[in-house]
Amino acid sequence: MATDASAEASETADAYDDLVERFERINGVQGAAGVLGWDQQVMMPEGGTPARSKQLSVLSSVSHEMLTDEETADLLDACEDLDLDDEQEALVREARREYERAASVPTDLVEEISETSTEALGAWEQARAEDDFEQFAPYLEKLVDLKRQYAEHIDPDRDAYEVLFEDYEPCLPLEQAEEILETLKETLVPMIDEIRASDADVTTDAFDDEFPEEEQEDLSRDVLTTLGYDWDRGRLDPSTHPFTSGNVYDCRVTTRYDESDPLGGLMATVHEFGHAFYNLGLPEEHFGTPLGESRDLSVHESQSRLWENHVGRSQAFWDLVTPKFVERFDTEASAREAFESANQVYEDNLIRVEADELTYHLHIVIRFEIEKALISGDLDVEDVPEVWNDKYEEYLGIRPETDTTGCLQDIHWSHGNFGYFPTYSLGSVMASQLFNAAEDDIKNIYGKVREGEFEALQAWLRENIHQHGSRYETNELVREATGEDFTADYFVNYVQSKYGDLYDLEESV
C-alpha cells in the first residue's frame, strides 16, 4: 500500500517535467512552421504556394492535436496538485491558457484557417501588385467567416472581436485597449491640426534624393551592428512587408527599400531590431516552454517602438547616424536637418509603415474600426475599399487613389490576424512608459546614444523585460519594470514635449 502511494506521488511529481517536455515538442513543430513561413515571404519561389499551403496546414493541425490531446489536460490537472514555485506556477498558467483556448477549436477548423491564410497571402501579394482588391476579397471574406467560427467555439457568449483580440493580447482587457486608443485620438487629433497650422521652419527634405538599394542595405547592416544585433543568431533580408521571425537562438529580421525614401527602410530596420533583440533576450533555460515565450504583442511592440521612436528618431541618434549617410550617399544634410525630416508630421502620407510618429496612430484606429466592423457583420468585405478611403479622408484629410496604397497595404488580414492592429498603439504607449523608467535609471541616456553606446539600455531591457519571458502578465510586467500601472500619460507627455518643441506649439510641455 505504501509502495503504491509512493509510486503515485512520484508519478504526480513527474507531471511538471512531462508537461514541460510536451510543450517543448509542440514548440518544435510550431518553430518549424515559423521557418517555413519566413521562407515563404523571403525566399520561396512564387510557384511554391500550393505545396507550402499543405505543409503549413499539416504542421498547424499536428501542433493543435498535440496541444489539445487528453494527455495535455491530464498533465495540467496533475500539476495543480504540486507544490510549485512562482516560475513553475506561471508556466502552468500559460500552458493552461494555451490548452483551454486551443481545445475549444476543432482541429479541422484550425487546419482550414491555416490553409486558407496561406492561399490568401499569395492572393494578397498579387492583388497588391496589380492594385485589385477584388482578387483578394473572396479570401478575406472566407477568413472573416472562419475567424467568426473560431471565436464562437472559444466563447459563444462574448463579442467575437474581443475573443480574437485575446489571441494577441490575452492579458489586457479590450476595454483597457479601447480607452488608451481613445486617449490617443483625443490627444493627437487637435495636436496634428495645430502642427499643420504651425509656421515653424522644420526641415522636410533631408532625404529628397535617390538612394541606391545596395547602399541602403549596407547602411541597415551597419546600423544593426551598431545597435548590437547578434549576427551569429540572425540575418537581414528584404521582404514585401517588414517582419521578424524566430526565437532566442535564431531570430531573423526583414526590411524593404525604396530608393526615393531611405528613411522608411532604415526605420523599419531599427523597428524590427527591437523585436529581434527582445526574442534574443528571452530566457534560454526556458526555451520551448510557455515561460520562455515573449509576453504577447503589446509588450513585443513596445520593444520595437522604443528602439524606432525613442532611440531611432532622437536627435542623438541622428548625430550618430548622419555621418553614415554622408559616407554612403551624395547628401550634405546636417544631423539637425536629418532629425527634423525624420520627425516631420506628414500631411499626405497614406502608408502606415511610412507614417510619422503622430499620424501613425490614426492609421491604427482606422484599421481597428474596420476590422471590428467586419467581424461584427456591420461591414461587408466588398465595401472595405470605400469605407477605408472615407475614413482616411475623415481622419487624415487624404484619400487613397488606389487599393495598393489603401486597403491592400498591410499583410495582417491575409493571415487572418483580426485583433492585431491595436497592439501597435498599445506598444507605443508602453514604450514611452518604459523608456521614461530607463531614463530615470540610466543617467545621460541620450549622451550614450550619441556615442553609439547602447549597452546600458540593452542591459536595462534585458533585466526588466526580456529575462522574464511570460512569467508576468502584461499589467504586472509594466508595474515590475516601472513601479506604476500601465498608463498613456507618459506617451502624452512625450509627444507634447517633443513635437511642441519641434513645431513651436503653444502648449509645449
Side-chain angles (χ1 to χ4, degrees), residues 120-182:
L121 175 59
W124 168 78
E125 288 178 335
Q126 183 171 344
R128 187 175 185 271
E130 298 180 8
D131 184 29
D132 184 10
F133 178 77
E134 289 186 5
Q135 292 188 42
F136 177 57
Y139 298 90
L140 178 58
E141 189 164 6
K142 186 174 182 181
L143 283 170
V144 168
D145 179 62
L146 290 172
K147 282 298 186 148
R148 286 178 185 149
Q149 295 179 44
Y150 172 90
E152 175 131 354
H153 279 291
I154 292 172
D155 193 335
D157 298 324
R158 284 199 297 144
D159 175 72
Y161 187 83
E162 181 180 0
V163 175
L164 296 177
F165 175 69
E166 290 174 350
D167 271 347
Y168 311 104
E169 190 45 75
C171 304
L172 282 179
L174 180 60
E175 182 180 1
Q176 184 179 3
E178 290 177 318
E179 289 174 357
I180 289 174
L181 288 174
E182 186 63 29

Side-chain angles (χ1 to χ4, degrees), residues 265-294:
L266 180 61
M267 288 297 97
T269 298
V270 175
H271 178 99
E272 299 305 331
F273 165 80
H275 284 305
F277 190 68
Y278 183 13
N279 283 349
L280 293 170
L282 292 170
E284 292 184 21
E285 65 272 21
H286 297 301
F287 171 67
T289 78
L291 198 62
E293 296 294 316
S294 58

Side-chain angles (χ1 to χ4, degrees), residues 90 93-94 171 295 468-474 476-477 480:
R93 177 197 69 214
E94 296 298 317
C171 304
R295 177 69 287 164
H468 298 306
S470 291
R471 177 177 180 179
Y472 300 114
E473 295 191 335
T474 306
E476 185 180 4
L477 179 64
E480 287 286 331

Side-chain angles (χ1 to χ4, degrees), residues 15-157:
Y16 179 82
D17 292 336
D18 291 342
L19 181 70
V20 168
E21 181 180 356
R22 186 166 189 80
F23 270 83
E24 287 174 340
R25 291 175 63 82
I26 294 169
N27 179 268
V29 175
Q30 294 171 340
V35 173
L36 289 179
W38 171 87
D39 175 75
Q40 181 182 13
Q41 296 185 60
V42 176
M43 301 181 71
M44 186 187 79
E46 290 184 9
T49 298
R52 187 54 44 88
S53 173
K54 294 296 184 182
Q55 292 159 356
L56 288 172
S57 177
V58 169
L59 290 175
S60 176
S61 63
V62 168
S63 65
H64 183 77
E65 288 166 359
M66 292 173 66
L67 179 58
T68 59
D69 189 90
E70 186 176 339
E71 183 179 347
T72 306
D74 292 342
L75 290 171
L76 284 166
D77 289 341
C79 285
E80 296 297 331
D81 298 325
L82 299 179
D83 184 17
L84 303 176
D85 61 28
D86 289 344
E87 280 197 349
Q88 291 172 326
E89 285 184 355
L91 186 149
V92 173
R93 177 197 69 214
E94 296 298 317
R96 182 169 288 282
R97 177 187 286 131
E98 285 188 42
Y99 164 77
E100 290 181 348
R101 194 169 183 86
S104 303
V105 184
T107 299
D108 59 351
L109 178 57
V110 172
E111 191 168 340
E112 186 175 8
I113 290 172
S114 175
E115 188 168 341
T116 301
S117 62
T118 304
E119 294 169 351
L121 175 59
W124 168 78
E125 288 178 335
Q126 183 171 344
R128 187 175 185 271
E130 298 180 8
D131 184 29
D132 184 10
F133 178 77
E134 289 186 5
Q135 292 188 42
F136 177 57
Y139 298 90
L140 178 58
E141 189 164 6
K142 186 174 182 181
L143 283 170
V144 168
D145 179 62
L146 290 172
K147 282 298 186 148
R148 286 178 185 149
Q149 295 179 44
Y150 172 90
E152 175 131 354
H153 279 291
I154 292 172
D155 193 335
D157 298 324

Side-chain angles (χ1 to χ4, degrees), residues 285-414:
E285 65 272 21
H286 297 301
F287 171 67
T289 78
L291 198 62
E293 296 294 316
S294 58
R295 177 69 287 164
D296 307 315
L297 287 189
S298 295
V299 177
H300 228 306
E301 196 62 26
S302 78
Q303 302 305 288
S304 60
R305 300 299 277 181
L306 185 151
W307 284 99
E308 177 188 354
N309 291 331
H310 293 269
V311 175
R313 295 187 190 273
S314 69
Q315 177 68 66
F317 180 80
W318 286 101
D319 290 342
L320 171 68
V321 168
T322 302
K324 299 179 184 293
F325 262 89
V326 173
E327 177 185 345
R328 290 170 174 81
F329 306 111
D330 183 18
T331 179
E332 297 180 356
S334 68
R336 181 63 190 182
E337 290 169 335
F339 163 73
E340 290 182 0
S341 291
N343 288 283
Q344 65 181 291
V345 177
Y346 300 114
E347 294 190 6
D348 59 355
N349 176 62
L350 293 164
I351 309 301
R352 175 184 65 85
V353 296
E354 298 172 3
D356 59 78
E357 197 174 2
L358 300 188
T359 60
Y360 180 88
H361 298 287
L362 299 183
H363 290 262
I364 295 300
V365 168
I366 289 168
R367 288 152 174 77
F368 166 67
E369 292 179 352
I370 288 176
E371 67 180 16
K372 191 175 181 185
L374 277 172
I375 296 300
S376 70
D378 293 333
L379 175 64
D380 293 331
V381 166
E382 64 183 5
D383 296 326
V384 166
E386 183 178 2
V387 171
W388 180 288
N389 295 347
D390 288 346
K391 286 183 178 293
Y392 263 79
E393 191 163 17
E394 177 185 356
Y395 294 168
L396 289 164
I398 51 180
R399 191 174 186 88
E401 296 183 358
T402 67
D403 293 339
T404 298
T405 58
C407 59
L408 286 175
Q409 64 182 270
D410 293 298
I411 199 172
H412 303 63
W413 292 341
S414 73

